Amino acid sequence: MKIAIEGCAHGALEKIYETIKEIEQKENIKVDLLLCCGDFQSTRNLEDLETMAAPKKYQDICTFYKYYKGELQAPMLTIFIGGNHEASNYLQELPYGGWVAPNIYYLGYAGVVRVNGIRVAGISGIYSSHDYLKGRFEFSPYTESTKRSVYHVRQLEVFRLKQLSGNVDIVISHDWPRGIYKHGNQENLARFKPYLREDMENGQLGSPPYENLLNILQPSYWFAAHMHCKFAALVTHMKKLNISAGKEEKSERAEGRCTKFLALDKCLPRRRFLQIIDIESKNHTDDEGQLHFEYDLEWLTILYLTNHLTNTRNSYYYLPNEKGNTGERYNFTPTDEEMSEVLKKFENVLKIPENFCRTVEPYDPKRNFKTSQHVQPKSQINPQSLQFCDTLGIDDPLTLAMLIGGHELSHSSTLDGTFESNLNDSSSIADEPSSLNTSNASMVSPLKRRSVGSSSIGLNLPKPKAIESNAITKADELSSDSDDKVEQEADTHNCGITPQELPTLHIDSPKPPLKKFRRRNQDIYQSKTDDEDENCALNT
């Protein structure tokens, strides 16, 4: 199967497809799949353009809107991940992936799919140590700060990808894995990009989490972009061998799998931005000439098993690991039984549905003018994400972030009416009970994880003085001006709202019910267990 790899797209879809067509005619080949390594710029209109973190002089509507509105059609299946120049509000609507236009598929914050049996994994964004340990708290309209933090990769996506077993054929990212330059022509890279020399000498070029991910997954290919240059490397992974010598066993390292790494430039004249490779596929196209484009069952199961780890707080939190002594599950590589249960949720059909729908008016060059004033749009809940989350039984992080932030949910309405029937059909699947064991430690909320397996901590404070006769002994619901104070107290006592406690959302429910906080009474000063403190903090 012929696969085209593109570096930074920067919205130049027409030029990319034209270049591929010229190569096809010159080489007499047919390209089946296009993979784009970020900076895709899926801007549907000028409002989307306002959410892109770039100086005004670089904000160009480009040509994606033509594919979104149906004026042009992508000539081949196109799969992409996000970079640091994106229509972030649109991509946030599809955290687990989805169609941004007909035949153009976004992999989400992280995702794994199969194309004719070839396993393709991807992770969006770039690394920032400041935001890596935080939750997904951003939503549009963004501040200048959140306009940038929204595209920073988070630990949960890397953690989930580490749970994969078996062979991964291709990984696509925007950032480079740290240290990858050591496996290629480092001097040539420094001559072409002199400003990278200092980072290479200090060992700071690239993403540390991706370096770890590369060594764990050991994919056959890893493609990236971001640095606006072409760079190739060959990474030979080492495997550990146990050799018996009499009664003793010695561990030695031997050469294992190899990963072919390739970074590409952005789409500009006389730049090396495109590469075509030929990979033997395990399946062939169907009778209509279509590729077999499917979800990866193991990845779906990992999403389901780690749903309780979803976090939407603007603060650091930590994921379970083998060094912890809480008894919480830390290995989420699914069993055959767990994958079988998830397969039932999709009625044994893993084919990715073609359920793209337009939810906003696309750019019209005859009516819209860039010189006019435009504002960032409010975040919307995409019907594709609703269907996917309902079917799998997981939470949409954008929905959680908006609810916890106290913002009203806005559901996207389809402009073409082609998706509503599919959405209604998905609700019956989501209501089916699951026989998976998701209780005990595996479903502990990150906000409550600190209390698991630890001794109860009581408060030894002085006994309060007698209450005045005119004091309020029992308060009504708190007013809006005291919400922040109570929420801060709840976090202090480890009693925050968890994703599992949030109400079930329905597409026809514009204002879902919210949790109400009530005041603590004077018993807070008495020694209690963690569970009693929690019941005292939240009266639900």
Side-chain angles (χ1 to χ4, degrees), residues 355-357 383-384 387 414 416-424:
N355 54 2
F356 165 73
C357 57
Q384 293 183 67
Q387 181 183 12
T414 59
D416 47 17
T418 59
F419 181 70
E420 294 178 358
S421 60
N422 293 334
L423 184 61
N424 293 332

Side-chain angles (χ1 to χ4, degrees), residues 2 13 91 329 340 344 348 367 419 511 530-531:
K2 298 289 191 302
L13 277 180
L91 297 190
R329 178 176 179 177
S340 177
K344 292 178 183 177
N348 298 319
R367 294 188 303 169
F419 181 70
K511 291 185 178 181
D530 287 347
D531 291 337

Side-chain angles (χ1 to χ4, degrees), residues 243-264:
I243 303 175
S244 298
K247 296 182 179 180
E248 298 181 357
E249 284 193 359
K250 296 182 179 180
S251 295
E252 296 184 1
R253 302 187 71 83
E255 291 186 0
R257 293 170 55 86
C258 290
T259 297
K260 297 177 181 178
F261 174 84
L262 180 65
L264 292 166

Side-chain angles (χ1 to χ4, degrees), residues 93 379-383 385-386 396 398-399 402 409-412:
E93 295 180 14
S379 290
Q380 294 183 327
I381 309 304
N382 195 287
S385 294
L386 277 175
D396 178 1
L398 178 59
T399 299
M402 294 178 69
L409 296 181
S410 176
H411 293 90
S412 300

